[in-house]
C-alpha cells in the first residue's frame, strides 16, 4: 500500500475545497483540486491520475504547498513579465523612440528604417543595427502613436 501524502495545515480541508471550487484560473483550480484530494487521504499518484497530471508535477505542487503555503499555488504565468530575448530596446527606450518619432529626424526629412536603426544604435551603444530592425521598431512605435 503506497504511503499517504502529508499536507501541512496551512489551510483546513474545507478552505482548500472552497479555493478549488471558486478559483477561475484553470491551472490554479487543478492545483487546489489536487491538494483537496490529497487532504482526503488520496495518494499523490492516485490524485494525479484522476486529474490527468504528471506524477512528478503533482509531487512538486504538494512539496511547494508544504514549504511555502497557499502562495505557492498561484499561477505565476499571469503575473510574469516577458521580454523577448531578441528585444533591442527596453520598454523605457521604446517610449523614448515613440517621442522621437513625433518630431522630424536630425536631417529634417522623414523617419525611415535606417534612420531609426541609427537612433537605436546610438541609444544602446552599438556600432550598427540592421535597417530591418529599425523598420520593425518604427512600425511598432508608430502604430501606438
Amino acid at each position: 500500500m503506497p504511503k499517504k501524502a502529508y499536507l501541512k495545515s496551512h489551510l483546513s480541508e474545507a478552505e482548500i475545497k472552497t479555493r478549488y471550487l471558486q478559483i477561475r484560473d484553470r491551472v490554479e483550480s487543478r492545483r487546489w483540486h489536487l491538494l483537496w484530494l490529497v487532504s482526503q487521504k488520496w495518494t499523490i499518484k492516485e490524485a494525479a491520475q484522476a486529474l490527468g497530471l504528471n506524477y512528478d508535477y503533482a509531487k512538486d505542487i504538494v512539496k511547494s504547498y508544504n514549504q511555502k503555503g497557499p502562495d505557492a499555488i498561484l499561477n505565476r504565468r499571469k503575473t510574469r513579465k516577458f521580454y523577448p530575448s531578441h528585444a533591442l530596446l527596453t520598454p523605457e527606450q521604446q517610449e523614448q523612440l515613440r517621442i522621437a518619432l513625433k518630431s522630424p529626424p536630425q536631417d529634417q526629412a522623414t523617419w525611415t528604417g535606417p534612420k531609426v536603426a541609427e537612433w537605436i544604435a546610438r541609444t544602446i551603444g552599438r556600432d550598427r543595427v540592421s535597417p530591418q530592425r529599425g523598420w520593425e521598431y518604427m512600425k511598432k512605435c508608430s502604430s501606438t502613436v
Side-chain angles (χ1 to χ4, degrees), residues 20-65:
Y20 147 58
L21 294 173
Q22 291 180 347
I23 297 288
R24 292 290 153 232
D25 183 80
R26 292 184 309 177
V27 172
E28 287 180 34
S29 178
R30 288 180 78 194
R31 291 174 183 171
W32 285 111
H33 193 176
L34 172 82
L35 293 174
W36 179 66
L37 292 176
V38 170
S39 74
Q40 297 284 306
K41 307 296 183 223
W42 288 43
T43 65
I44 295 174
K45 185 175 183 178
E46 292 169 340
Q49 285 176 338
L51 296 173
L53 297 173
N54 176 288
Y55 171 72
D56 290 329
Y57 175 65
K59 197 168 64 171
D60 288 344
I61 291 169
V62 172
K63 182 180 177 183
S64 293
Y65 176 77

Side-chain angles (χ1 to χ4, degrees), residues 4-141:
K4 301 291 182 202
Y6 167 76
L7 280 184
K8 280 194 176 177
S9 58
H10 296 290
L11 299 173
S12 70
E13 186 180 309
E15 290 171 315
I16 292 173
K17 182 179 180 182
T18 300
R19 289 193 183 200
Y20 147 58
L21 294 173
Q22 291 180 347
I23 297 288
R24 292 290 153 232
D25 183 80
R26 292 184 309 177
V27 172
E28 287 180 34
S29 178
R30 288 180 78 194
R31 291 174 183 171
W32 285 111
H33 193 176
L34 172 82
L35 293 174
W36 179 66
L37 292 176
V38 170
S39 74
Q40 297 284 306
K41 307 296 183 223
W42 288 43
T43 65
I44 295 174
K45 185 175 183 178
E46 292 169 340
Q49 285 176 338
L51 296 173
L53 297 173
N54 176 288
Y55 171 72
D56 290 329
Y57 175 65
K59 197 168 64 171
D60 288 344
I61 291 169
V62 172
K63 182 180 177 183
S64 293
Y65 176 77
N66 284 336
Q67 290 176 347
K68 301 174 190 166
D71 288 343
I73 306 306
L74 295 175
N75 183 2
R76 302 221 190 298
R77 286 187 180 177
K78 294 187 306 186
T79 59
R80 181 177 63 184
K81 290 184 180 178
F82 176 74
Y83 299 115
S85 60
H86 62 278
L88 292 175
L89 300 177
T90 65
E92 294 79 22
Q93 291 169 329
Q94 285 184 40
E95 187 57 35
Q96 291 172 359
L97 178 58
R98 276 188 198 91
I99 293 167
L101 289 173
K102 290 179 183 178
S103 58
Q106 291 175 345
D107 65 3
Q108 299 299 316
T110 58
W111 283 102
T112 62
K115 289 177 187 175
V116 173
E118 289 173 18
W119 185 95
I120 293 171
R122 280 193 312 272
T123 302
I124 64 174
R126 280 198 184 174
D127 293 333
R128 183 180 179 282
V129 171
S130 161
Q132 178 62 37
R133 296 288 285 179
W135 174 255
E136 291 167 3
Y137 272 101
M138 186 173 83
K139 297 307 281 180
K140 182 177 184 177
C141 292

